[in-house]
Every structure is written in structure tokens, then in C-alpha cells.
Amino acid sequence: MREKKLHILISKYLSSEINNAERIELENWLHASSDNQKYFDRMVKHWSSMKISQPHAIPEFEEFWREVEVKIHTEPSVGISAEQYSNKNLIASFIHTIARPTRKVRFTAFAVMLVIGGIISYRYFFSSREMVVYATNNAERKEIHLPDGSNITLNSDSEIKVEESFVDERVVFLKGEAFFDVEKNGHPFAVNTSNAFVRVTGTKFDVSMRNERTRVIVAEGTVTLRAKSSNSPTVIIHKNEKSECFRDEPPEKPLTVDTHYSIDWLRNAIVFDKTSLNEIAERLKRFYNVNVIIHDDSIGNKTITGEFRNQKIDDVVSAIALSLDLKFTKEDSTYTIHR
């Protein structure tokens, strides 16, 4: 969300002028990360501590912004603790993100001033927070041990970002696939993908985010899943169930699965369940670090069901081609499947 729009939403919320659609949009932003919630909480705290009644009219903004433009040159550079700024000086940074408001902006002046008071904190959070990035290549996995006692197994061709300050605010950002063994400590654990929010307290589950689709499979406990779209419902996924959401569509109704087969990669296996040849090519690339080319588009939708475990890639491709009455050629690490 753009900073300007965010600040307007918070101002409207604090001045009780926010409508339902705006409230949902703000709530989605709050769910996106712990830093968003921290920033919002700080604004609410400042608002609650202000013992000044709200004015009946919006102030003269032209004069107000002229004063701000003078103050803007006295702002400290990024890197100084946000808590060191006075509320008076915090006003100046607001000009960077909202510029000159017009008289059409109807939310109350003190709500505006409050939001101004936290802008530098916002910029400080998002410009200086340190993220630890873990990534894997094809045919590679990685074990990650988090400070709270939780463990993550990162699948091949995946990336996960964790804040260095990760303790009570347990939020990670995932691209690809990972298995989570979350330590229960009373604080929620959140996994964010590009299109969905996953929330738990303590459980074991697999999250895959590929091709604009987030899929969650629960091995123990319960997990909630919702899309990032504003009208998405939340589904509860129990042990031995899975759900997924595609792009901004709401999550599907949870289905019963056998996690032993569904989370196949943890036991060094690759399971196909009516899987198309096009998808098989992508999975073999990640699993074996090879290129698989489907020579003819007309065979890409052919499907296969089966399991391969601890088998060489030559044997796997040969078995797939044979079962579909196809042929393949090999050149270095590239396999071409054709009629």
C-alpha cells in the first residue's frame, strides 16, 4: 500500500470517519506484518495520550504547510532512533508522503497531526529493519533454527525472510515451499506469501507458494488461511487436511489428505497424483536440478500418478515416458520428452 493512502486510512480510523471498505483494507495491511501492527499501535497510543479536545474546523493548511516546509530542513537523517524525535519535529516528515492536503480532506486535524507524529517511525521501521534471508537452489534443502525454538525445512528453489529481531513478533515471508515445526509459546506465528496469510500458534505444517497459488497442508494442530484480497474469508485447516488459494481468490474448502504422501519431499520422494506433464517438468527441475522440455504442447496436459523415491533421474524420466507411451532424449542435463 502506498504511504500516502495508508496515512489517510489511519487518520480516518482515528477520527472515526472510516467506512467499511476502508476498514477492511486497513485490517489487511495490519495482518501483513508485525511491523505494520507495531506502527499502528504506536499511533493509537499517541492518540490516546493526547488530552486535547478536537477542533470544530480544519486548520488553515496553506499556512500549516509553509511552516512544515521550513521545518523539513531540520529533520535528522535516517538512523537516529525514532523515539528521539519530538512530536513537533515529526510533523515535518509528513510532507514527504502526503504533500499538500486540500480542503477536500475531511478527517479531523488532530488525527492528521497524530499520524504525522509517527511517519518517521514508519520510515525507520521499513528502511532500517534487518532481514535474514535464507535461500536454496534446485536440488538443495536447508534447515533453519529460529530463536523461539521453531524449525523450518526449506525446500529447493525457495526463499524465506526472517527479521533479526524475531522473538515475540513471529513473522516470516515465504517464496517457494517450506515445512514449519512451530514452537508454542503463546505468541502467534505468521507465514506471509505474495497472495495469502497463514496463522498458527504451535503446530507442524507445509506451505507452498508457486505459480500464484498458496497451498497449506497441516500435519499437526490447526492453521488458518486467508487470501490477501479484502473480502476473503478465513478457513481453518485441521490435521491431515489441506487448503489452497489461487491469486486473490478465497481459500478452497479444506480437503482430507494423507500427509505422508502429500508432503513427499521431506522423505526424499516425489509423488504425482494425476499430475500434468507440464507440472512434472517443473518439479523434476527443482528436485533433480535438470531441465525437462516438453517438445509437443499437445502432450503437456497428459497426467500420471505414481511415486518415486531415491531413484536416479534417468530412471524417473524413462518410467514417465514409458507410462505415457512417449519417448525422450537426453543431452547433458537436459531431457526432452516427445512422441
Side-chain angles (χ1 to χ4, degrees):
M1 185 188 301
R2 293 182 180 275
E3 288 184 24
K4 178 178 179 179
K5 186 173 184 180
L6 168 64
H7 300 145
I8 291 175
L9 287 179
I10 295 178
S11 295
K12 287 187 173 183
Y13 174 87
L14 293 170
S15 56
S16 300
E17 296 177 18
I18 193 168
N19 60 39
N20 287 336
E22 291 169 336
R23 184 182 298 274
I24 291 173
E25 190 171 5
L26 179 60
E27 288 174 352
N28 284 337
W29 177 80
L30 290 173
H31 285 304
S33 80
S34 60
D35 279 342
N36 293 357
Q37 187 66 57
K38 286 179 182 178
Y39 175 70
F40 180 79
D41 290 343
R42 183 174 185 267
M43 296 300 94
V44 173
K45 181 179 179 181
H46 284 319
W47 173 256
S48 300
S49 66
M50 293 176 69
K51 305 300 183 181
I52 306 174
S53 60
Q54 296 184 9
H56 299 290
I58 295 177
E60 177 52 58
F61 278 114
E62 288 299 321
E63 180 179 352
F64 171 74
W65 287 113
R66 278 196 296 270
E67 294 176 1
V68 168
E69 288 171 338
V70 173
K71 291 186 177 77
I72 199 68
H73 300 292
T74 66
E75 286 300 332
S77 59
V78 173
I80 297 176
S81 171
E83 297 301 327
Q84 295 175 349
Y85 297 128
S86 68
N87 285 335
K88 181 178 179 181
N89 286 335
L90 285 170
I91 293 173
S93 66
F94 193 64
I95 195 171
H96 288 303
T97 54
I98 293 188
R100 294 177 179 270
T102 68
R103 297 179 188 276
K104 294 180 181 179
V105 181
R106 303 311 303 170
F107 44 84
T108 61
F110 279 110
V112 175
M113 297 295 286
L114 171 64
V115 175
I116 290 172
I119 299 306
I120 291 180
S121 295
Y122 174 89
R123 289 178 172 272
Y124 178 79
F125 271 134
F126 289 92
S127 63
S128 64
R129 65 176 183 174
E130 296 295 330
M131 305 291 289
V132 180
V133 180
Y134 303 91
T136 54
N137 298 315
N138 290 328
E140 181 186 10
R141 295 174 198 165
K142 187 169 290 185
E143 296 291 334
I144 303 166
H145 306 288
L146 299 179
D148 69 330
S150 299
N151 296 303
I152 301 173
T153 305
L154 192 62
N155 200 358
S156 57
D157 187 28
S158 300
E159 177 187 281
I160 198 163
K161 295 180 180 180
V162 183
E163 292 184 36
E164 276 193 343
S165 59
F166 179 97
V167 181
D168 294 338
E169 302 293 339
R170 306 192 297 174
V171 181
V172 300
F173 302 85
L174 174 68
K175 295 179 182 178
E177 184 171 15
F179 183 82
F180 298 84
D181 184 351
V182 175
E183 181 74 14
K184 189 172 184 177
N185 67 359
H187 297 280
F189 187 105
V191 182
N192 288 352
T193 70
S194 63
N195 74 323
F197 303 116
V198 182
R199 296 291 183 272
V200 303
T201 52
T203 184
K204 296 180 180 180
F205 61 100
D206 181 90
V207 180
S208 172
M209 200 297 156
R210 302 193 192 275
N211 301 320
E212 300 181 278
R213 185 182 301 275
T214 295
R215 183 204 67 197
V216 178
I217 302 174
V218 178
E220 289 184 12
T222 59
V223 174
T224 64
L225 171 67
R226 66 182 294 265
K228 287 186 175 178
S229 56
S230 60
N231 59 347
S232 172
T234 298
V235 299
I236 300 176
I237 313 168
H238 299 278
K239 179 180 179 180
N240 295 327
E241 288 184 343
K242 79 167 183 176
S243 178
E244 57 186 47
C245 54
F246 179 62
R247 294 181 178 171
D248 60 352
E249 297 175 1
E252 297 178 354
K253 180 180 179 180
L255 299 174
T256 300
V257 295
D258 186 335
T259 56
H260 177 75
Y261 289 100
S262 298
I263 314 176
D264 51 359
W265 60 277
L266 281 181
R267 53 190 181 87
N268 202 35
I270 185 165
V271 175
F272 303 125
D273 183 10
K274 298 179 181 178
T275 307
S276 71
L277 197 55
N278 286 328
E279 183 180 343
I280 288 172
E282 292 183 14
R283 292 180 63 182
L284 292 179
K285 178 181 180 180
R286 291 193 296 267
F287 198 89
Y288 289 100
N289 193 27
V290 296
N291 293 316
V292 180
I293 299 172
I294 310 302
H295 186 265
D296 188 342
D297 291 341
S298 65
I299 65 176
N301 290 325
K302 286 181 173 289
T303 63
I304 187 174
T305 298
E307 177 182 357
F308 300 93
R309 185 177 183 186
N310 297 322
Q311 291 178 272
K312 296 180 179 180
I313 180 61
D314 286 0
D315 296 335
V316 174
V317 174
S318 178
I320 292 172
L322 182 63
S323 66
L324 295 175
D325 195 23
L326 300 173
K327 300 176 182 178
F328 76 94
T329 57
K330 175 185 178 183
E331 183 176 351
D332 297 327
S333 60
T334 298
Y335 294 81
T336 302
I337 300 177
H338 55 86
R339 291 187 182 276

